[in-house]
Amino acid sequence: MVVMVEGLVANAVNCGETDKMLTLITRQYGKLSVYCRGGRRISSNFMTGSLKFTYGDYVINKTEKLNLLQEANAKMSFFDLHKNICAASLADYICEVLSDVTMPEEPDNDMLDLALNCLYVLSEGKRAPDDVKTVFEWRMAEHLGVCPDLSGCHKCGKADKEWYYLDIMNGELTCRDCGKGADEKQADEDDGTAKITVMMSGAEVYAANRIINADKSRMFSLPKDEKIKKRLGEVSEKYLCNHLERSYKTLEFYKEISKM
Ligand SMILES: [Zn+2]
């Protein structure tokens, strides 16, 4: 069956001498592995459309054994990402998470749009990479339906406290008065599940809430305070990676690169 899809090349792996295998995150069929014959030849019609981070229209011969690329027309190539190793390594992490959470035959356009927005601001250099990462992680948690309830202490309901404990796996906040003795820790509960608690200040909780609930056009407005921003990023990373139950080499690489 020949299908037309719109999607993002989340990964491109070289095969044989001139071919590529693409991971395409599409609006119509979710995640698709697509074989791109001759895609690495300079003369190939697929040369631009099959580059990693490209968003475009694709014609694919979809069979049970193999999805074969027939046409590729780039709409946005985010080409500047390839010129900046820090931005490129963060884009790699964003694409890896996106392809991890998108299932074949189960398109999720909200998650695809979130990734595309992040790639856009990264390639334009409109925001610091660390800020893009923080926004991506909080909003991805929201899209996945595992976002913490940041409306206030889950025991007393108060939302005006200076400090809270965030229970990462349960996604619950507890204020200091209700959670006495619950220091920041990673411990095992009696039933063997990991309990990970981090501290968040009232200002950090407020800022995270704003990122999660902001309109798309305003989602990158972060607080100016560098300490709050740094902490927001540490918590979002811990939160998302624990809920996805894995670590990402692309994330470790980004963190190494961004320190340089
Ligand atoms: Zn409380």
Side-chain angles (χ1 to χ4, degrees), residues 221-238:
S221 12
L222 270 72
K224 291 209 165 51
D225 187 313
E226 290 298 328
K227 254 172 106 178
I228 294 181
K229 279 207 288 193
K230 186 165 181 280
R231 187 66 188 151
L232 276 177
E234 287 165 0
V235 177
S236 61
E237 180 183 314
K238 207 170 219 181

Side-chain angles (χ1 to χ4, degrees), residues 62 87 125 142 176 247:
K62 204 166 169 282
E142 163 76 5
R176 252 184 172 172
S247 56

